[in-house]
Amino acid sequence: MSRPDPPKSLLKLEVGVLSGSVEFQQTIARPAVCAGVGVHSGEKARLVLKPAPAGTGVVFRRTDLAGSDTSIPADAEHVTDTQLGTTLTNDAGVSVAVVEHLMAALAGVGIDNLLVEIDGPEVPIMDGSSAVYCELLLQAGLKQQSAPRRRIRILERIEIEDGPKRASLSPAPDTFLTLNARIEYDDSVIGVQEMTLQLAPGMFARDLAFARTYGFARDVDMLRSMGLARGGSLENAVVVDNGEIMNPEGLRSEDEFVRHKMLDAVGDLMLAGAPIAGRYDAVQPGHSINNLLVRKLLETPSAWCWETDVEASAVVAARRSAAV
């Protein structure tokens, strides 16, 4: 799929690089390892996170399978299932499920390039949040690379509607992703929750990474009959039962539910292939509508362009020259 060059309309944007600083791509400084169980498959898996060259992006590799085609690019075009998680599948049919919490951590920490070796079908759920992955990445250390970081600059508003669910991306005047999400449930312990957050450096780790996935006790038997939630427990999910939290420790914040929806959105939007400079708004968001939104974005060349700080600095210089 071809990507458009930055159009003249970019000259109208305040891109936030007046200081002349340039963001460069990042990977991790050294390998990192963790292991856990998949929330749906119930199968154990070991992850080895390895540095990758600039321009690689994020690539998963199934080390438990034979054959030469076991690598799976982490992008929206390889998403094949969004039922209670995001699944990626390559052209050979090799897949890896529930990638969103790890992808969210990569976006939140600022990792552009990474090889993820995994010896099972599903990324471990850990505690149901992205906190463990954030800590793992930071312990491994961040390594700046020589290539400028590319971001996707939103130029025109696009929207997806699916019944009561809505999600959109629209232009913003800075280089960050701003998220707004609203959820509404009949259960009184959740009710209506809404939150807005700008994904500036450090904000994800502080405000979203801790938020755990959640579900309802009434759905457990149905999900397990469908082959889902086989590894789910009170250790890796918040479980709601008729207005009560079943987890003995309770919630990590009163609005943990909407925070987790925003965490999921960060991970799903990372599958666009680069950080997004724009605003995300959603009502009743989920993996399916997030993936549809990213696909629509990439299929609408007029709605976005690639941007680096080098290009953005040139735009600022051109504006200053024109004003003289």
Side-chain angles (χ1 to χ4, degrees):
M1 179 183 298
S2 62
R3 265 62 170 178
D5 292 327
K8 292 182 179 179
S9 58
L10 188 59
L11 292 172
K12 299 178 181 179
L13 297 172
E14 292 291 347
V15 292
V17 291
L18 296 174
S19 65
S21 62
V22 176
E23 285 191 6
F24 289 89
Q25 294 181 31
Q26 292 189 123
T27 187
I28 53 175
R30 61 192 70 85
V33 180
C34 69
V37 66
V39 67
H40 293 310
S41 66
E43 296 187 29
K44 293 181 179 179
R46 181 174 183 264
L47 288 183
V48 182
L49 310 181
K50 294 184 175 181
T56 301
V58 180
V59 178
F60 288 85
R61 181 178 295 163
R62 289 284 299 274
T63 59
D64 58 318
L65 300 178
S68 58
D69 194 2
T70 61
S71 294
I72 313 162
D75 60 51
E77 294 180 356
H78 287 86
V79 174
T80 54
D81 190 8
T82 52
Q83 184 180 40
L84 300 180
T86 298
T87 297
L88 301 170
T89 306
N90 69 10
D91 293 340
V94 176
S95 66
V96 60
V98 192
V99 302
E100 61 272 9
H101 298 171
L102 175 57
M103 294 300 298
L106 299 179
V109 171
I111 298 295
D112 304 279
N113 306 297
L114 193 72
L115 173 61
V116 184
E117 294 184 344
I118 180 170
D119 64 359
E122 185 178 334
V123 175
I125 193 63
M126 310 312 283
D127 70 344
S129 75
S130 291
V132 174
Y133 290 123
C134 283
E135 183 178 358
L136 191 69
L137 293 165
L138 293 174
Q139 287 178 348
L142 307 184
K143 180 180 179 181
Q144 183 174 285
Q145 298 174 293
S146 59
R149 170 174 286 151
R150 292 204 306 176
R151 68 178 67 89
I152 292 173
R153 165 70 62 183
I154 305 299
L155 301 173
E156 299 174 2
R157 187 176 187 274
I158 61 166
E159 184 175 14
I160 292 287
E161 291 191 27
D162 183 11
K165 299 180 179 181
R166 298 196 310 272
S168 67
L169 285 167
S170 53
D174 48 49
T175 59
F176 303 118
L177 175 66
T178 297
L179 303 107
N180 172 266
R182 184 181 189 275
I183 60 173
E184 183 174 354
Y185 289 88
D186 292 335
D187 196 292
S188 60
V189 79
I190 304 178
V192 177
Q193 297 187 3
E194 185 169 358
M195 183 179 178
T196 301
L197 177 72
Q198 187 179 70
L199 208 63
M203 300 300 285
F204 179 85
R206 190 187 75 179
D207 294 329
L208 295 183
F210 67 84
R212 296 163 292 176
T213 191
Y214 60 91
F216 297 89
R218 62 176 181 267
D219 296 333
V220 171
D221 290 341
M222 176 191 69
L223 291 173
R224 288 181 174 167
S225 71
M226 298 167 60
L228 301 170
R230 292 179 176 178
S233 71
L234 295 179
E235 295 181 355
N236 55 40
V238 176
V239 180
V240 179
D241 186 18
N242 293 321
E244 296 184 0
I245 303 297
M246 296 185 66
N247 305 65
E249 73 279 12
L251 295 174
R252 294 176 176 176
S253 69
E254 291 184 358
D255 58 356
E256 187 171 0
F257 303 98
V258 72
R259 288 176 188 265
H260 186 78
K261 285 295 187 180
M262 295 176 74
L263 181 158
D264 280 345
V266 172
D268 289 337
L269 293 176
M270 177 72 169
L271 296 174
I276 293 176
R279 180 182 173 94
Y280 166 88
D281 289 277
V283 176
Q284 300 294 88
H287 301 299
S288 177
I289 200 165
N290 288 338
N291 181 246
L292 291 172
L293 182 66
V294 172
R295 285 176 179 267
K296 183 174 181 179
L297 173 69
L298 298 179
E299 292 168 359
T300 311
S302 63
W304 66 283
C305 69
W306 286 121
E307 175 186 278
T308 69
D309 284 332
V310 173
E311 295 163 337
S313 295
V315 169
V316 172
R319 292 181 65 209
R320 286 176 170 171
S321 177
V324 173

